[in-house]
Amino acid sequence: MSDWFPPRRSAAAYCCVVGTPVAHSKSPLIHAAFAAETGIELDYDRVEVQPGTLAGAVTQFRQIGGIGMNVTVPLKLEAWSLAQVRSQRAQSAGAANTLWFDGDGQINADNTDGVGLVRDLTRNHHITLQDTTILLLGAGGAARGVVPALLDCAPKTLLISNRSAHKAKSLAEEFSGQTSIVEPVPWGDMRGIEQPQSIINATSLSLSGDVPPLDIDLLARAQICYDMMYSAEPTAFVAWCRENGAPVAVDGLGMLVEQAAESFTIWHGRTPQTGPVIKELRGL
Ligand code: ATR
């Protein structure tokens, strides 16, 4: 069997983040801060795991006494498939970012991305989602992962727009029939759509420095423009929204910290404060 994990350094609780690439991940910093605040002895590693090999990595992680694993791109679907027990929100998201083992040794999975996004929007940025219109850009894994949590907030309408229209359509169809209206809207021309209060970019466009084809009038009248990506400098989407009159445009750093806090709570039974960690990571 391949070796993914270094020898254990101590008897502290052992957790990790796996993905490819993972070298840039801020999860070790975030979990170390939570551990310091809650007084939990923790070793947390970031470990490169290639697609198709997660099962082996999870087996080794369990053998060395690991208790909690965060899973990032591109392994969230694989993590979901591997799990023997899934939370309701992981089940409906179709992807998992948090794994752990229960008393029977079964692999449990949750998806904390959606709750992370919602907490960042509502608690940290004071945005109301209930009875509002949300525009979600993208219909890939990242978008799918947050749709259930957004719908739990009972928006009036969730509009989904994606370059490949069929994916927006099938995502909208999958989640329709609840209290909120869930509708696909065209990607190339969004001029005619209902004004959203929240615009959430769940595409990977910022990675290549690109922005979606949004009418700038929509930006100026939205309460918040939110990029689920984050980087030290403003992402392409955040910069573009700010330049074009958006009153508030933020990246997904807060979501990252909030989803980590939820994983931390699942594994350690203690809920850390997120505000100080977000401030620290922003260098404030
Ligand atoms: P993730 O898990 O990060 O969501 P993904 O499933 O590959 O990754 O989805 C990437 C998202 O970014 C998709 O919504 C994708 O649109 P398509 O479904 O049409 O591929 C979107 N995306 C990526 N590059 C894009 C581009 N150049 N223009 C528009 N949308 C893009």
Side-chain angles (χ1 to χ4, degrees):
M1 191 173 73
S2 311
D3 249 1
W4 285 272
F5 296 92
R8 292 285 299 274
R9 302 187 281 290
S10 75
Y14 187 50
C15 297
C16 66
V17 57
V18 300
T20 302
V22 82
H24 67 284
S25 171
K26 291 192 187 301
S27 293
L29 265 175
I30 297 170
H31 282 269
F34 291 162
E37 183 221 321
T38 54
I40 285 170
E41 300 269 320
L42 176 69
D43 287 330
Y44 188 109
D45 282 328
R46 47 185 160 215
V47 177
E48 191 90 14
V49 171
Q50 297 301 320
T53 67
L54 183 63
V58 169
T59 301
Q60 192 198 2
F61 183 65
R62 184 182 359 210
Q63 279 166 357
I64 61 171
I67 63 161
M69 178 183 274
N70 279 139
V71 180
T72 187
V73 285
L75 304 175
K76 292 183 185 184
L77 298 182
E78 209 172 319
W80 187 90
S81 303
L82 203 58
Q84 291 142 329
V85 184
R86 298 183 194 111
S87 68
Q88 179 57 48
R89 56 195 183 190
Q91 187 61 30
S92 47
N97 74 334
T98 304
L99 298 178
W100 71 99
F101 311 107
D102 63 23
D104 301 328
Q106 305 215 84
I107 303 170
N108 284 235
D110 199 351
N111 188 319
T112 65
D113 287 331
V115 76
L117 169 66
V118 164
R119 285 191 188 145
D120 194 36
L121 285 167
T122 58
R123 294 186 186 172
N124 302 332
H125 297 292
H126 312 291
I127 296 296
T128 300
L129 297 172
Q130 190 175 3
D131 287 328
T132 67
T133 297
I134 302 170
L135 171 60
L136 182 65
L137 304 167
R144 160 178 288 278
V146 300
V147 166
L150 290 173
L151 290 176
D152 281 347
C153 298
K156 179 163 73 66
T157 311
L158 176 62
L159 304 173
I160 304 177
S161 183
N162 192 54
R163 174 181 59 178
S164 311
H166 68 278
K167 288 210 250 165
K169 187 166 174 278
S170 63
L171 192 57
E173 278 169 6
E174 194 181 324
F175 287 95
S176 67
Q178 309 190 18
T179 9
S180 312
I181 299 163
V182 187
E183 266 180 6
V185 293
W187 178 253
D189 181 4
M190 284 183 243
R191 269 175 302 183
I193 71 168
E194 183 180 333
Q195 173 66 45
Q197 279 77 49
S198 305
I199 300 176
I200 301 167
N201 182 21
T203 72
S204 50
L205 275 166
S206 285
L207 281 180
S208 52
D210 293 314
V211 294
L214 265 183
D215 183 30
I216 57 172
D217 283 351
L218 293 177
L219 303 181
R221 286 187 265 131
Q223 281 177 41
I224 192 164
C225 295
Y226 193 101
D227 196 350
M228 282 170 46
M229 300 251 149
Y230 69 89
S231 64
E233 299 303 317
T235 65
F237 181 69
V238 167
W240 179 74
C241 290
R242 286 178 184 160
E243 280 159 22
N244 287 285
V248 180
V250 292
D251 70 13
L253 183 71
M255 171 180 173
L256 177 78
V257 175
E258 295 292 346
Q259 65 77 29
E262 187 71 2
S263 299
F264 189 94
T265 305
I266 291 169
W267 299 331
H268 308 293
R270 299 283 305 275
T271 302
Q273 285 188 56
T274 51
V277 182
I278 295 172
K279 270 193 169 166
E280 189 187 323
L281 289 176
R282 289 224 187 271
L284 298 177

